[in-house]
Amino acid sequence: MALLDVARNALPLVGVDPAVLNDADVAHAVVLGHNVVSVHGVPGVEVALRRNGQLLEGSVTVAPGVEVARPIHLCFGLEGPRDVQEVRVDFQLGQGARARVTSCCAFPGARDARHLMHATLVLGTDAVLTYNEHHHHGMHGAMIVAPHASVRVGTGARFFSNFALLAGAAGKLEIDYDVAVGDDGLAELSARVVARQADEVTLKEAVRLVGVRSRGLIRSRVVVQDDAHAEVVGITEAAGRLARGHVDCREIVLGRARAGATPVVRVLHPEAKVTHEAAIGSVDRKELETLMARGLSPEQAIELVVSGILR
Amino acid sequence: MQRHDGAVMAEAFLHVRDLACVINGRHVLRGLDLDVREGEIHALIGANGSGKSTLAFILMGCDGYAATAGVTRFKGTDLAPLAIHERARLGMTLAWQQPAQFEGITVREYLGLRRSGVDPAWALAQVGLDPGRCLDRSVDRTLSGGERQRIELASVLAMKPDLAILDEPTAGIDLLSMAQILAIIRALRDGGGAVLLITHQEEVALAADRASVLDDGRIRHTGPPQDTVAHFLARGGEHGVA
Ligand SMILES: Nc1ncnc2c1ncn2[C@@H]1O[C@H](COP(=O)(O)OP(=O)(O)OP(=O)(O)O)[C@@H](O)[C@H]1O
Ligand SMILES: [Mg+2]
């Protein structure tokens, strides 16, 4: 099978229609193992990716003022079940640029494979970037996936990220995002993860509100079941005058699973403010009892509550 | 049940005898008897902390609210061994005094939990909410208190229960809408069901067919609502609470 077809076949796993890769209006990069399978840019969007030894290096650049109509698709897959894939990508959004990125990490056949991502994202003044990342790590549970990102949100710029891993085995997942927000900038980080079997999940998200009136939101929803373990660390640092941060973290722990949450809040300016709420534990009893009082079995009730918080 | 003249009297739809409940060493209910008949709205009134919600939780089978003694039967079936959902499947349900919030679950889904054939949009319209605006909202804290209360009532309505236990369904409902809410409670009854209506509001109690006063862990009086409310207020006078 051609490499592109392998990649195409994996996309529906993460809810993406493979037909986008044939669409000339959609910028994309497709990587399988260490092979760059396909790269495509559109006016105002430059996508570059090349192999450098065991490393894949590339960049995505959106020119100033360009509004990219369709999401830029970055698709990562593996060639063999034990591949080690290490990627370094620099994203640059010029002043006033607007773009959406759909990043698909679909590794259906993975066993003890590894995917390491180091991304740097720089959003120029008033730029807007929505970064949606969908993962599927196969069913084996031995994969190591480490998406790391360092983000700089410029003056008046807005950054929205949504990470989702809802099906299959997470394996060992280590998310590490660090976002610095400038004057009047905004960063909203959302992550939804389901950990099963012996999965080990660490979710570390830091938002540094450096600028005046900068705003940040960290929202995480993690469901841990079986023998899985999750640790969530949400760091919000408010240094700018009138900076506002909020952390909203929910972890649902089912069966023998374990979970921890460490909210770190630092306020470094007298006029800055950070609020946080965290709930960690089993499904709320009153929610369950209400659904059961409408006739749902305990199992159906848990399933519904869990599906709700993962939306 | 055998009457002294020998005639056999049918047991009430909801039949509660000598019910007792101890919470944290305190006798919240002791020797409580209550009959709710098929097709009646039965109001339950009583001071704050008198045990009305506790009774509702015991009847529904909520965790932490087991009876320490007594009998509870619904349609002749002993409720004690049944889990909440089994009681629900027998035809009873409870609307909580403070309804739960559900992140990510839409009003449409919430009203469609039980495939009773009732259209969620119809149920919403009944409680005075615009289906177009509400159906796709989440049943979470973004709803106002009154909206949430109405949705709770709509979800009971959508279930078409044989017995609806409504714990303060008019709390947080604006005065102008009271008549509408009372009409829904009557509709629940007129559809063939019974309603156990826990309330603090006199006008709501007066809309019932019968009413009971809960005081000191027991039902102290049962009768026409007017008399029962008068009885409650008179006793409140004695105790200095109303
Ligand atoms: N889980 C609990 N733990 C401790 N005490 C409880 C618990 N549930 C109820 N109680 C106590 O039992 C008593 C009865 O409470 P209940 O909520 O049934 O009263 P109520 O009649 O519904 O009052 P209100 O009119 O304020 O709603 C109160 O004193 C209450 O504090
Ligand atoms: Mg109460």
Side-chain angles (χ1 to χ4, degrees):
Chain A
M1 188 165 26
L3 288 180
L4 191 55
D5 289 328
V6 176
R8 275 202 186 99
N9 290 344
L11 288 182
L13 267 186
V14 289
V16 173
D17 180 357
V20 293
L21 300 183
N22 305 335
D23 193 327
D25 297 333
V26 176
H28 73 241
V30 179
V31 174
L32 214 59
H34 281 101
N35 303 292
V36 178
V37 178
S38 172
V39 173
H40 176 71
V42 296
V45 181
E46 226 176 82
V47 183
L49 204 60
R50 65 189 175 89
R51 182 173 180 166
N52 180 4
Q54 286 309 300
L55 196 65
L56 282 157
E57 289 180 327
S59 61
V60 176
T61 311
V62 183
V66 170
E67 280 194 33
V68 188
R70 309 276 302 277
I72 301 163
H73 280 67
L74 304 179
C75 308
F76 300 95
L78 299 177
E79 233 191 321
R82 299 197 158 75
D83 271 7
V84 176
Q85 182 180 67
E86 189 165 0
V87 190
R88 227 171 256 285
V89 184
D90 294 328
F91 294 81
Q92 290 270 359
L93 267 80
Q95 179 169 353
R98 284 169 176 254
R100 285 170 294 160
V101 171
T102 300
S103 172
C104 314
C105 291
F107 312 119
R111 293 181 77 86
D112 42 354
R114 264 189 281 172
H115 166 85
L116 313 173
M117 166 65 109
H118 315 274
T120 55
L121 299 96
V122 177
L123 280 68
T125 302
D126 295 328
V128 182
L129 176 64
T130 302
Y131 196 99
N132 295 321
E133 192 166 348
H134 309 282
H135 280 236
H136 194 295
H137 300 169
M139 305 309 289
H140 198 259
M143 187 168 187
I144 297 175
V145 178
H148 294 186
S150 165
V151 186
R152 265 199 292 143
V153 179
T155 302
R158 285 176 284 157
F159 175 64
F160 304 93
S161 96
N162 300 293
F163 180 97
L165 188 155
L166 302 175
K172 196 164 163 47
L173 173 65
E174 292 169 4
I175 298 176
D176 189 343
Y177 287 179
D178 197 303
V179 184
V181 188
D183 293 352
D184 296 299
L186 167 71
E188 288 188 12
L189 310 186
S190 155
R192 296 171 294 145
V193 177
V194 179
R196 302 181 174 82
Q197 307 298 337
D199 289 345
E200 287 280 339
V201 172
T202 353
L203 174 55
K204 181 170 166 239
E205 293 175 302
V207 172
R208 303 180 201 283
L209 301 170
V210 183
V212 179
R213 287 178 303 271
S214 54
R215 287 166 298 148
L217 169 69
I218 297 177
R219 182 180 185 275
S220 59
R221 296 291 180 267
V222 178
V223 175
V224 221
Q225 53 198 53
D226 307 319
D227 291 302
H229 177 211
E231 287 295 329
V232 176
V233 182
I235 301 170
T236 308
E237 205 172 82
R241 193 173 72 85
L242 300 173
R244 292 284 178 270
H246 184 66
V247 183
D248 169 11
C249 161
R250 260 186 98 169
E251 284 174 85
I252 290 195
V253 188
L254 303 172
R256 293 179 305 271
R258 290 165 302 137
T262 314
V264 178
V265 173
R266 275 187 217 112
V267 175
L268 305 173
H269 192 286
E271 287 177 79
K273 188 166 153 185
V274 177
T275 48
H276 73 97
E277 51 187 321
I280 172 164
S282 55
V283 177
D284 181 74
R285 201 181 68 198
K286 188 170 174 183
E287 293 176 33
L288 287 187
E289 290 189 337
T290 302
L291 298 175
M292 286 165 72
R294 303 291 179 271
L296 265 58
S297 69
E299 297 74 25
Q300 291 170 320
I302 289 175
E303 201 181 306
L304 183 59
V305 171
V306 165
S307 76
I309 83 149
L310 288 173
R311 277 184 195 158
Chain B
M1 189 183 288
Q2 193 92 21
R3 263 184 358 200
H4 61 269
D5 60 3
V8 175
M9 235 172 64
E11 180 180 296
F13 208 45
L14 176 70
H15 168 92
V16 181
R17 287 296 174 275
D18 211 22
L19 187 69
C21 173
V22 180
I23 297 176
N24 288 346
R26 192 180 144 221
H27 293 265
V28 177
L29 303 177
R30 45 178 148 194
L32 182 143
D33 295 341
L34 177 71
D35 282 329
V36 177
R37 298 174 188 155
E38 192 167 358
E40 79 168 348
I41 300 173
H42 193 120
L44 182 64
I45 56 180
N48 291 132
S50 58
K52 303 180 299 296
S53 294
T54 300
L55 174 63
F57 294 151
I58 293 174
L59 291 174
M60 200 63 227
C62 297
D63 195 25
Y65 290 89
T68 40
V71 175
T72 48
R73 273 201 294 267
F74 175 55
K75 296 197 279 194
T77 302
D78 182 14
L79 292 176
L82 302 183
I84 301 180
H85 64 290
E86 293 165 327
R87 299 179 196 212
R89 289 170 187 180
L90 209 56
M92 57 191 285
T93 197
L94 166 64
W96 269 252
Q97 185 169 5
Q98 272 124 19
Q101 316 280 358
F102 295 94
E103 181 177 332
I105 296 176
T106 63
V107 172
R108 185 193 305 278
E109 287 173 291
Y110 189 60
L111 299 186
L113 289 176
R114 194 85 197 271
R115 286 185 205 90
S116 58
V118 175
D119 177 14
W122 175 85
L124 268 189
Q126 294 303 300
V127 299
L129 292 176
D130 177 359
R133 268 194 227 155
C134 292
L135 275 174
D136 294 315
R137 287 185 66 177
S138 288
V139 188
D140 61 16
R141 59 190 167 181
T142 62
L143 294 167
S144 81
E147 285 169 343
R148 181 68 191 88
Q149 204 57 268
R150 285 162 192 255
I151 287 166
E152 202 56 15
L153 212 50
S155 97
V156 169
L157 201 60
M159 193 180 153
K160 289 208 263 186
D162 295 332
L163 172 65
I165 305 168
L166 308 178
D167 196 352
E168 302 275 359
T170 53
I173 298 293
D174 61 79
L175 285 174
L176 292 173
S177 310
M178 199 60 93
Q180 187 177 31
I181 300 301
L182 290 176
I184 291 158
I185 295 170
R186 285 193 202 96
L188 277 166
R189 170 196 61 192
D190 298 342
V195 179
L196 178 59
L197 175 59
I198 298 171
T199 184
H200 281 294
Q201 281 158 294
E202 188 173 336
E203 58 171 313
V204 176
L206 292 179
D209 302 303
R210 294 197 304 151
S212 293
V213 178
L214 177 54
D215 177 29
D216 198 22
R218 295 179 182 85
I219 298 296
R220 292 292 180 176
H221 182 96
T222 297
Q226 204 99 40
D227 298 356
T228 309
V229 168
H231 179 92
F232 173 60
L233 293 175
R235 280 194 64 90
E238 284 166 32
H239 292 253
V241 284

